[in-house]
Amino acid sequence: MDIEAVPVSVPSPSVLRAQLPAAALIESQVRAALAEDLGGGDLTAALLPAEQCARVELITRQPALLCGCAWFEAVFRLLDAGVALQWEARDGEPIRAGQRLCVLTGPTRALLTGERTAMNYLQTLSGTATTASRYAAAVAGLPVRVLDTRKTLPGLRIQQKYAVRCGGCYNHRIGLYDAILLKENHILAAGSIPAALDAARAANPGVTIQIEVEDLAELAQALAAGALLILLDNFSLDALRQAVALNAGRARLEASGGVDLNTVRAIAETGVDRISVGALTKDLTAVDLSMRFV
């Protein structure tokens, strides 16, 4: 499949509203980002008169799916309440090359100081959402979910996982604290697949438990031990089809490894329930944006 030919898939706006992280969390994330850039203060912007004001247009130089408006807004709100923003596009909407996304007016110092941090958020999250939208489009019409992984940029876990949802894909566990994934080394340490599952169930009742298997024999062991969520690690297409047949609907099956836009639909057509893709957040291409003073 030609990657560039994969269209943008737009999720429901009502879903997007429900998924936006809490305002207090967004503000704390932006404060940390501003502290990283500002340090003791913006030495260059301080050269300008404090009373000077300006008007700025935010332009996209390429087609994409927009994401990250709340973080962009928070940057300027925290720098100067006198900055006003008027959006002409919102999260989850496809944008075209040359399109004006928003207009900002207010103190020139604040506009210049916040420019890079605000654009870093918007171009990174839009890049993540755009990639997710292409994967969502690639499996359109099939009863499968494409999920992200923990392969996110450090410090941007919540933001990138929000962007994945904006793009029409789904989140795997957020971190190590909200679900259990028993991988090869966990199983080896426990002694066996049944022992690893038993230990996880005993220690964490009510928590989602997933176990990784590397071949059909291990899949059979996991099913016999009552596993309800199983990760099929680097299975071939033929092995995935055999796994689906062996499973016979007893557990949810997730394919992982060797997944890209050229392979994801064929993997989905094997009948697995989920496909996890590290590239959604790891192999990031930021969207090209520009802030122009007018």
Side-chain angles (χ1 to χ4, degrees):
M1 179 182 295
D2 181 359
I3 291 176
E4 294 302 321
V6 178
V8 166
S9 176
V10 184
S12 165
S14 63
V15 173
L16 296 182
R17 284 196 296 271
Q19 293 173 340
L20 187 67
L25 176 58
I26 293 173
E27 182 172 312
S28 70
Q29 292 166 340
V30 171
R31 285 189 185 278
L34 286 171
E36 179 181 63
D37 202 29
L38 281 172
D42 184 345
L43 301 180
T44 311
L47 302 175
L48 299 172
E51 66 278 8
Q52 181 176 330
C53 290
R55 172 186 168 94
V56 178
E57 294 180 342
L58 176 66
I59 307 294
T60 177
R61 299 184 183 276
Q62 65 183 97
L65 196 75
L66 184 62
C67 183
C69 295
W71 288 268
F72 187 94
E73 289 180 10
V75 168
F76 295 103
R77 182 173 65 250
L78 291 173
L79 287 172
D80 195 313
V83 175
L85 291 88
Q86 182 177 354
W87 286 100
E88 298 181 11
R90 299 299 301 187
D91 282 3
E93 293 181 2
I95 53 178
R96 64 185 183 280
Q99 181 178 343
R100 186 171 70 182
L101 305 180
C102 76
V103 176
L104 304 91
T105 55
T108 306
R109 283 185 178 182
L111 292 172
L112 288 169
T113 296
E115 176 183 4
R116 177 42 52 200
T117 298
M119 287 179 58
N120 281 349
Y121 270 122
L122 205 63
Q123 66 186 25
T124 300
L125 299 186
S126 294
T128 302
T130 300
T131 296
S133 74
R134 289 173 176 155
Y135 276 88
V139 299
L142 297 175
V144 68
R145 288 188 173 191
V146 176
L147 295 88
D148 57 24
T149 69
R150 289 168 45 241
K151 296 176 182 178
T152 53
L153 299 178
L156 290 177
R157 172 72 54 82
I158 298 300
Q159 298 95 314
Q160 281 196 285
K161 283 184 172 282
Y162 166 75
V164 164
R165 297 193 301 272
C166 278
C169 292
Y170 296 82
N171 294 152
H172 210 287
R173 57 180 177 166
I174 302 301
L176 296 172
Y177 58 87
D178 61 327
I180 293 174
L181 173 52
L182 300 167
K183 298 177 73 68
E184 178 185 11
N185 287 335
H186 300 109
I187 295 167
L188 289 172
S192 69
I193 286 175
L197 285 168
D198 287 344
R201 292 171 185 140
N204 301 275
V207 173
T208 298
I209 300 170
Q210 182 176 26
I211 191 161
E212 177 185 88
V213 300
E214 298 184 346
D215 55 40
L216 293 172
E218 289 188 353
L219 172 60
Q221 292 179 47
L223 290 170
L228 298 177
L229 182 56
I230 301 174
L231 179 67
L232 308 173
D233 184 40
N234 283 301
F235 276 45
S236 67
L237 290 177
D238 184 57
L240 287 174
R241 286 187 283 267
Q242 292 182 60
V244 170
L246 176 63
N247 179 52
R250 287 176 285 177
R252 284 179 295 161
L253 299 182
E254 176 181 322
S256 182
V259 184
D260 58 30
L261 278 171
N262 295 309
T263 61
V264 67
R265 188 167 184 90
I267 292 171
E269 288 172 342
T270 65
V272 294
D273 305 287
R274 307 169 12 147
I275 305 172
S276 52
V277 184
L280 290 182
T281 53
K282 179 175 66 71
D283 299 340
L284 176 67
T285 300
V287 173
D288 190 5
L289 304 173
S290 174
M291 281 181 64
R292 305 188 305 199
F293 280 69
V294 294

